[in-house]
Amino acid sequence: MPHAFDADTVSAVLRHMNSDHTDDNLLIARAFGRPSAVGAVMTGFDGDGADWDVTDAAGTTSALRVPWPAAPISERPEVRREVVALYDAACAALGVEARPHA
């Protein structure tokens, strides 16, 4: 059974991803199975991976599950590391220059 993060951690990460990283969500969705995505919202995550609701041009929304590159994880700082790894992999797959990470 994958590690379940506490509700405060999940809420904080989702709020951050869906307000500050909307473009990153879309890049990840496009690179990991939904190349025609026009929108993506991170909806959850656990120790094995993350979930997005992905919308296409017709307005149809479907779920997307992407495993963490270094799964399994169980610590909050590992979530950031894994999201950054997904973002970097998405940029590489799509030929987009990744921005530097702070």
Side-chain angles (χ1 to χ4, degrees):
M1 175 164 250
H3 176 76
F5 289 88
D6 65 85
D8 288 342
T9 297
V10 173
S11 178
V13 170
L14 295 181
R15 183 173 43 256
H16 177 70
M17 287 300 295
N18 292 324
S19 62
D20 296 343
H21 295 287
T22 56
D23 291 341
D24 299 354
N25 288 334
L26 185 56
L27 283 172
I28 291 167
R30 287 178 175 164
F32 291 97
R34 302 295 194 288
S36 62
V38 297
V41 175
M42 191 176 195
T43 58
F45 62 91
D46 59 26
D48 289 344
D51 303 297
W52 283 265
D53 278 347
V54 181
T55 305
D56 65 18
T60 304
T61 300
S62 60
L64 174 66
R65 173 79 170 173
V66 181
W68 299 129
I73 64 171
S74 60
E75 302 293 327
R76 183 177 180 150
E78 294 173 315
V79 177
R80 182 185 190 283
R81 181 194 70 210
E82 295 305 298
V83 170
V84 168
L86 288 179
Y87 166 78
D88 286 342
C91 288
L94 298 173
V96 174
E97 185 174 344
R99 69 180 177 287
H101 306 294

